Amino acid sequence: MLSKRIQSLSESLTIAITSLAQQLQREGKDVIGFSAGEPDFDTPRVIKDAAIDAIEKGYTKYTAVDGIPELKEAIVAKLKRDNGLEYTTDQVIASNGAKQSLFNLFQATIDPGDEVIIPAPYWVTYPELVKYSEGVPVAIDTDDSTAFKITPEMLEKAITPKTRMLILTTPSNPTGAVYSKAEIEALAEVLRGTDILVASDEMYEKLVYHGTEFTATASVSDDMFQRTVTINGLSKSVAMTGWRFGYCASADRELVKAMKKLQSQSTSNINTITQHAAIKGLDGSADADIATMRAAFEERCDEAVRLFNAIDGLSVVPPRGAFYLFVNHKAVESDSIVFAKRMLEEVGIAVVPGAGFGTDGYFRFSFAKDLETIRRGIGRIAEFVEKYR
Ligand code: PMP
Ligand code: GLU
């Protein structure tokens, strides 16, 4: 008999659809996958070399739960260099991907009934992990009209005496929306004087386009520095999804200690070899590789937006960051599950239905694929939409 807690947890829809597409491909079906939230690039050479070196040097044993000192110093230096944030090494912790950082954070801060405000569309994992911590996810619905961003008025309305936390994702998965400094400052004004925490997921920080400036949520004021827990990692910007490295930073040392305690009883330190490799992803050694990947994503983004907006019945707000398009298909079909299922069955294209992100009538298309595949895939989607009835 399974626990009630685990029975109420849903499987990650993004992973489920990507696995289904891969299974169909293995069976010989002509399926093109645009569902994965994963760069198609290889991990940069300098990072692989650091990992090989770590193996050769015998760095293969347990380490401190929160990471080796050199890694934590590299995280602190990165946050200072890129974001102007001043942390010390006891305010950061390395985990098995940002996913574990989020898990640790929710487990360490949420009591039964605590409300967590999550702007929708949201990344599939947030509400599930909040519920797993016995918290209550409270969605704020957004759409194309505010470029999928919440306004201070929307935030104000969603706050109740039970609000414990706000989750901000900038750049956003699944919409690519990026909050400007002024927009974060305006949200910060609403939070001033409350004891609401902010979990700022900045996983796609390095992937911003057309001169968009990224602003770290914790950097806008001392008040925000105190209440914000920054979550980040190297999975997306440095193509390290399989290495499992993410981190979290907070001004609150007691909170960091609590997350470390939980990790000490669950997974302990992250893979030691990954820790040595991750330093090279943080310290600037891979910056040229990151710039090359970012430029490729920008080109693909432009092409995909152009092609989608040329299809009668579909529309997309050009994203400012990340590598997803959140495509509006309401003119053709309002039910995103039906639409995505039929697209997979009829033309072999895998995308993630918007309903999984809390917003129906859209699908998420990942442009982390080469240009040729993107053109071929959107060509098939155009045929599918034209014949849709
Ligand atoms: N945050 C966001 C917004 C994501 O899209 C992802 C994707 N997996 C993660 C966190 C988690 O990344 P990881 O666990 O690979 O570090
Ligand atoms: N975050 C990625 C996505 O949204 C990877 C899959 C997952 O962890 O959910 O597709």
Side-chain angles (χ1 to χ4, degrees):
M1 187 61 188
L2 298 174
S3 71
K4 289 196 183 68
R5 210 163 8 106
I6 200 70
Q7 287 186 58
S8 70
L9 187 74
S10 307
E11 192 187 351
S12 166
L13 183 69
T14 46
I15 293 179
I17 293 179
T18 304
S19 309
L20 174 64
Q22 285 164 349
Q23 188 198 320
L24 293 171
Q25 281 162 349
R26 274 196 302 274
E27 288 168 6
K29 304 233 165 61
D30 178 17
V31 168
I32 316 179
F34 295 101
S35 57
E38 174 160 74
D40 55 328
F41 298 108
D42 197 3
T43 304
R45 185 74 250 167
V46 63
I47 292 171
K48 290 185 178 181
D49 284 344
I52 293 163
D53 193 46
I55 294 173
E56 295 298 348
K57 287 191 171 132
Y59 295 141
T60 54
K61 302 286 167 38
Y62 289 137
T63 71
V65 167
D66 49 346
I68 55 174
E70 304 90 303
L71 175 63
K72 293 203 297 164
E73 278 154 21
I75 296 170
V76 166
K78 182 267 168 218
L79 290 164
K80 169 98 179 87
R81 187 190 68 218
D82 290 352
N83 313 118
L85 297 167
E86 301 262 6
Y87 290 103
T88 51
T89 49
D90 53 353
Q91 292 173 310
V92 300
I93 164 169
S95 300
N96 289 279
K99 222 175 225 179
Q100 190 184 20
S101 307
L102 288 160
F103 182 83
N104 288 344
L105 173 63
F106 297 149
Q107 289 288 327
T109 55
I110 295 172
D111 275 322
D114 282 354
E115 293 179 357
V116 176
I117 297 176
I118 311 177
Y122 43 69
W123 178 43
V124 291
T125 292
Y126 305 134
E128 292 305 315
L129 287 189
V130 166
K131 284 188 276 175
Y132 202 69
S133 298
E134 297 183 57
V136 180
V138 176
I140 303 182
D141 292 324
T142 70
D143 59 23
D144 334 36
S145 67
T146 58
F148 299 108
K149 289 187 262 194
I150 57 164
T151 62
E153 296 72 32
M154 289 161 130
L155 176 58
E156 186 130 41
K157 256 206 232 152
I159 293 173
T160 76
K162 288 194 174 154
T163 305
R164 176 74 175 120
M165 186 186 286
L166 161 71
I167 301 178
L168 270 189
T169 314
T170 179
S172 155
N173 173 5
T175 67
V178 178
Y179 284 85
S180 70
K181 183 160 187 265
E183 285 166 340
I184 298 171
E185 283 170 345
L187 296 176
E189 273 315 300
V190 178
L191 298 173
R192 193 179 288 281
T194 71
D195 57 5
I196 299 170
L197 295 173
V198 179
S200 185
D201 184 336
E202 304 178 357
M203 176 55 79
Y204 297 89
E205 166 191 7
K206 301 279 180 189
L207 302 177
V208 286
Y209 311 122
H210 300 300
T212 299
E213 253 187 64
F214 168 79
T215 302
T217 302
S219 73
V220 302
S221 63
D222 185 53
D223 183 66
M224 284 300 274
F225 180 73
Q226 298 303 330
R227 71 172 73 246
T228 300
V229 181
T230 302
I231 290 114
N232 206 330
L234 298 173
S235 286
K236 315 293 170 154
S237 54
V238 197
M240 289 182 72
T241 45
W243 296 71
R244 309 315 297 138
F245 165 72
Y247 60 93
C248 156
S250 166
D252 183 349
R253 292 186 170 83
E254 287 309 307
L255 171 56
V256 174
K257 232 196 252 173
M259 292 191 279
K260 182 174 167 185
K261 180 170 73 173
L262 173 59
Q263 198 165 300
S264 81
Q265 296 289 20
S266 50
T267 58
S268 295
N269 63 272
I270 73 166
N271 180 310
T272 304
I273 297 146
T274 291
Q275 295 190 50
H276 287 273
I279 293 171
K280 297 289 175 194
L282 293 163
D283 71 3
S285 304
D287 279 3
D289 302 279
I290 296 171
T292 305
M293 292 188 274
R294 192 212 63 81
F297 282 130
E298 185 169 86
E299 187 186 10
R300 296 161 176 195
C301 176
D302 289 351
E303 179 70 350
V305 168
R306 190 182 67 73
L307 292 170
F308 272 119
N309 280 335
I311 301 174
D312 202 19
L314 300 185
S315 66
V316 64
V317 178
R320 310 304 303 182
F323 43 62
Y324 308 103
L325 303 185
F326 204 55
V327 182
N328 186 330
H329 61 69
K330 289 181 205 167
V332 188
E333 165 68 67
S334 56
D335 187 324
S336 60
I337 308 247
V338 169
F339 194 72
K341 192 161 171 277
R342 281 189 54 186
M343 203 195 291
L344 183 59
E345 285 167 358
E346 293 173 26
V347 289
I349 297 289
V351 295
V352 188
F357 304 100
T359 309
D360 214 350
Y362 297 80
F363 63 85
R364 187 190 78 172
F365 176 95
S366 162
F367 55 83
K369 290 267 178 198
D370 62 87
L371 272 175
E372 203 277 315
T373 306
I374 288 173
R375 289 188 187 118
R376 202 152 46 88
I378 301 178
R380 282 199 207 173
I381 295 173
E383 278 171 40
F384 170 69
V385 170
E386 203 182 319
K387 294 200 195 112
Y388 199 90
R389 64 188 87 249

